[in-house]
Amino acid sequence: MGEGERFQLGTVGALTLSVVSSVSIVICNKALISSLGFNFATTLTSWHLLVTFCSLHVALRLKLFEHKPFDRKAIMGFGVLNGISIGLLNLSLGFNSVGFYQMTKLAIIPCTVLLETIFLAKRFSRSIQLSLLILLLGVGIATITDVQLNALGSILSLLAIVTTCVAQIMTNTIQKKFKVSSTQLLYQSCPYQSGTLLITGPFLDRFLTNQNVFAFNYTTQVLVFIILSCLISVSVNFSTFLVIGKTSPVTYQVLGHLKTCLVLAFGYILLHDPFNWRNILGIMIALVGMILYSYFCTLESQKKGNEAALQSSQPKEESDPLINVGNGSEVVIDTIAQRSPGWDSNKDLHA
């Protein structure tokens, strides 16, 4: 099996792992939050990250991967930014209507494209742009209901969009710049992410739900679901870094909307959630957009591969080595949507 085939197989495996683990944790968290009343989403996310770090530490001790230290300031800033983005997404959910929150999530893709175009000089073809537009249209039809604007909610949503985009772009660029794997990056950033949320989580959850996480009645059933959620989160967090590292932040966002469509479908089939023609039409349009995006990305990858092979087969001209010196190399976690008293129960839950 060639290197290209192994890379494609690894990418497909990463995408599959991300979808399966994310849908699984959404179902688990929906039962935990909606059915058992555990509304402390930010605190739960901090536990997810803490368990992920402990699991990776055990894996490191078993020599399943190699620890590779690099720029501490970069990893600290990246970890704290990731924690802040999760908190802002939860605040955005708390202060906005269902429709406006869905618009916030949809806005992450065009914002990521804009930032990568401006700061990383990345170019997106018209075909890719068209497929993303179809995808966003489909997800919008399937998920957006009411759209109510308020000043505080709008500011929080804007901050959530920017911090999430930057964090996901950093995930990709840090792995390439410092030549670290997704596991190595996740292991080193987890303490800063979980620390940020462990400190702020209880206060943020109390502000949003008027409940104290430490005074909650932790029954055996609640504890079982919390443990299950934390175990699944290890796979979710790992696959998030793996997908962004192997593909791009935009592809990860496209995958995220596929998860949304799957959650809607599973909710209707397994939990008998309300479903109408708008959901069905939106999911179908979104799937068309995803298929087109995958098709055009594959075509462009093959084109770049053929061009690279053609260039490598041509005789190399002698050049001054001084001219070639200095050519540099070119940053998430899904959130758990909370439901507090007075909030709409149809808000979707993400790990």
Side-chain angles (χ1 to χ4, degrees):
M1 183 179 292
E3 184 177 348
E5 293 179 345
R6 286 199 299 269
F7 177 80
Q8 290 182 354
L9 186 61
T11 302
V12 172
L15 295 172
T16 303
L17 177 64
S18 179
V19 171
V20 172
S21 58
S22 294
V23 173
S24 299
I25 203 170
V26 164
I27 295 173
C28 178
N29 288 339
K30 188 166 187 177
L32 181 61
I33 295 176
S34 299
S35 302
L36 300 177
F38 189 85
N39 295 313
F40 311 103
T42 307
T43 301
L44 181 59
T45 305
S46 70
W47 296 346
H48 286 170
L49 289 164
L50 188 60
V51 170
T52 299
F53 174 73
C54 294
S55 302
L56 290 175
H57 190 69
V58 172
L60 180 64
R61 290 292 182 134
L62 296 175
K63 297 182 179 180
L64 298 179
F65 72 96
E66 181 182 353
H67 179 51
K68 184 179 179 180
F70 59 97
D71 192 339
R72 183 172 293 275
K73 289 184 178 179
I75 197 63
M76 183 183 298
F78 168 70
V80 172
L81 180 63
N82 256 308
I84 292 174
S85 70
I86 294 171
L88 286 171
L89 281 169
N90 284 334
L91 281 172
S92 173
L93 178 64
F95 282 90
N96 291 303
S97 65
V98 180
F100 195 79
Y101 175 70
Q102 293 295 346
M103 287 184 64
T104 297
K105 294 199 300 181
L106 290 177
I108 292 175
I109 284 185
C111 181
T112 303
V113 170
L114 179 63
L115 291 177
E116 287 192 320
T117 301
I118 294 175
F119 296 103
L120 300 180
K122 190 171 182 179
R123 294 291 177 262
F124 297 86
S125 67
R126 290 188 179 276
S127 300
I128 294 292
Q129 294 175 16
L130 177 61
S131 62
L132 290 175
L133 182 61
I134 295 174
L135 166 68
L136 295 177
L137 175 63
V139 176
I141 293 174
T143 60
I144 293 178
T145 52
D146 60 309
V147 178
Q148 300 174 4
L149 301 177
N150 65 83
L152 179 58
S154 300
I155 293 173
L156 290 172
S157 292
L158 179 61
L159 292 174
I161 291 169
V162 174
T163 54
T164 301
C165 291
V166 173
Q168 292 181 356
I169 292 172
M170 287 180 67
T171 302
N172 184 271
T173 55
I174 284 179
Q175 290 186 53
K176 292 180 178 178
K177 180 179 179 180
F178 295 103
K179 294 181 173 58
V180 293
S181 68
S182 55
T183 309
Q184 292 168 332
L185 177 59
L186 181 59
Y187 175 70
Q188 296 188 65
S189 65
C190 261
Y192 300 107
Q193 295 182 61
S194 60
T196 301
L197 294 177
L198 280 171
I199 294 172
T200 61
F203 300 100
L204 184 59
D205 287 333
R206 186 177 181 86
F207 177 67
L208 291 173
T209 66
N210 293 321
Q211 299 178 35
N212 187 350
V213 65
F214 301 110
F216 187 78
N217 181 24
Y218 290 90
T219 63
T220 302
Q221 190 177 15
V222 170
L223 290 174
V224 168
F225 273 94
I226 289 176
I227 293 172
L228 181 60
S229 178
C230 289
L231 292 176
I232 299 174
S233 72
V234 177
S235 176
V236 173
N237 292 330
F238 172 72
S239 62
T240 296
F241 280 63
L242 190 62
V243 168
I244 297 177
K246 283 184 171 292
T247 57
S248 70
V250 174
T251 298
Y252 175 73
Q253 285 299 323
V254 171
L255 190 67
H257 291 306
L258 171 60
K259 298 172 192 174
T260 300
C261 294
L262 290 175
V263 168
L264 286 174
F266 279 123
Y268 172 70
I269 297 171
L270 301 178
L271 305 175
H272 305 291
D273 288 343
F275 216 65
N276 55 44
W277 68 269
R278 289 181 69 254
N279 301 129
I280 298 173
L281 177 62
I283 288 176
M284 296 301 295
I285 295 175
L287 288 175
V288 170
M290 293 173 199
I291 293 171
L292 289 174
Y293 178 80
S294 301
Y295 175 72
F296 291 133
C297 282
T298 302
L299 284 182
E300 292 189 5
S301 296
Q302 291 176 348
K303 182 179 179 181
K304 291 180 181 178
N306 292 335
E307 290 177 352
L310 182 61
Q311 290 178 358
S312 62
S313 63
Q314 294 176 348
K316 296 183 180 179
E317 297 180 0
E318 293 185 1
S319 60
D320 188 342
L322 293 178
I323 297 178
N324 297 322
V325 172
N327 289 334
S329 55
E330 326 198 353
V331 235
V332 194
I333 294 179
D334 296 328
T335 68
I336 309 170
Q338 304 187 58
R339 183 175 62 85
S340 65
W343 291 11
D344 192 306
S345 61
N346 290 325
K347 292 183 178 180
D348 62 327
L349 306 176
H350 291 277

